[in-house]
Amino acid sequence: CFYSLPISSQEGRPPALLKKMKVFSLVVLMALCSLTMAQSLPLVPTLYKLQNFTFAAPYSCGGSYQRSALFLSSESQLVNSPELLLNGACGSTPYFQVATSGSDLGYIEIYGLNTPLSSLSAQDLQNPKNLFSINANVQVGHTYGITGAKQEFRYILGVTVNSMNPNGSLDITYAVYLYEVAKISAQSAGFNWLTKPQ
């Protein structure tokens, strides 16, 4: 972020006021930077468009959400909930992760080699004949179907792994097949992940 908020002449101002002005300027600067970052992505992504993306490193091997996560919309970026995370400890096989918080639901369909995204529809990505997993080890040349449902949005995404550097970057081609931003208008009371029926 390249904003700067100059404070006018400091002569004759009490130190306490200068400190408050600096703090206020920093808060405004952070807000402007956040707004700029959120505006760098569309509200919703374009469907059926093949796009390339590079993960810099697995999240658990020197990564972060900035280096290891794919954000598809300004909504997911705003709530800091990526649609896809590259994870894995250093020296291990990296894997894709859909559910990045306790309330997320999602699964990954593993297609294997020689399945171009251009040959897959949203219906294909929900085929019960394929292997499903909540996380999927990454292999070069393999294609994966990703379905995610978070509190704010749900999506279907296809991903093909193009290249991978051990403990480092990973290049993918992806296409979004479904993307919906939703707000809860009503829900049953009392949900808890640990509660059992009686």
Side-chain angles (χ1 to χ4, degrees):
C1 187
F2 300 102
Y3 290 105
S4 64
L5 296 174
I7 297 175
S8 58
S9 175
Q10 299 179 6
E11 288 184 27
R13 295 181 188 237
L17 178 60
L18 286 174
K19 185 175 181 181
K20 286 181 183 178
M21 289 174 66
K22 287 180 182 178
V23 169
F24 176 75
S25 296
L26 182 60
V27 169
V28 170
L29 180 62
M30 289 172 58
L32 287 172
C33 289
S34 297
L35 184 61
T36 300
M37 287 176 59
Q39 289 177 346
S40 65
L41 289 172
L43 177 61
V44 292
T46 302
L47 300 185
Y48 311 114
K49 180 180 177 185
L50 293 174
Q51 300 182 72
N52 295 315
F53 182 78
T54 300
F55 297 95
Y59 184 77
S60 298
C61 185
S64 65
Y65 271 12
Q66 289 74 32
R67 304 182 72 227
S68 312
L70 173 62
F71 290 91
L72 296 176
S73 72
S74 57
E75 180 71 26
S76 65
Q77 194 173 53
L78 183 66
V79 296
N80 202 29
S81 184
E83 284 79 4
L84 187 61
L85 184 71
L86 177 65
N87 209 342
C90 294
S92 68
T93 301
Y95 60 91
F96 287 134
Q97 182 178 347
V98 179
T100 55
S101 70
S103 61
D104 295 349
L105 302 172
Y107 54 86
I108 300 173
E109 190 172 359
I110 303 166
Y111 277 90
L113 285 167
N114 302 319
T115 308
L117 293 175
S118 59
S119 71
L120 296 174
S121 67
Q123 182 173 336
D124 295 327
L125 293 176
Q126 305 299 307
N127 189 336
K129 294 179 181 177
N130 292 319
L131 177 64
F132 288 82
S133 176
I134 57 170
N135 298 320
N137 286 344
V138 172
Q139 296 183 53
V140 174
H142 284 228
T143 296
Y144 306 85
I146 291 130
T147 301
K150 307 198 179 205
Q151 184 168 339
E152 299 83 6
F153 50 91
R154 67 181 187 154
Y155 56 96
I156 298 174
L157 173 69
V159 172
T160 298
V161 178
N162 300 323
S163 65
M164 175 172 56
N165 295 313
N167 301 325
S169 64
L170 178 84
D171 294 321
I172 65 168
T173 298
Y174 73 91
V176 180
Y177 293 80
L178 168 78
Y179 202 95
E180 298 175 338
V181 176
K183 303 296 180 197
I184 297 172
S185 60
Q187 66 185 63
S188 300
F191 172 77
N192 184 303
W193 286 101
L194 303 178
T195 300
K196 299 175 178 73
Q198 299 180 17

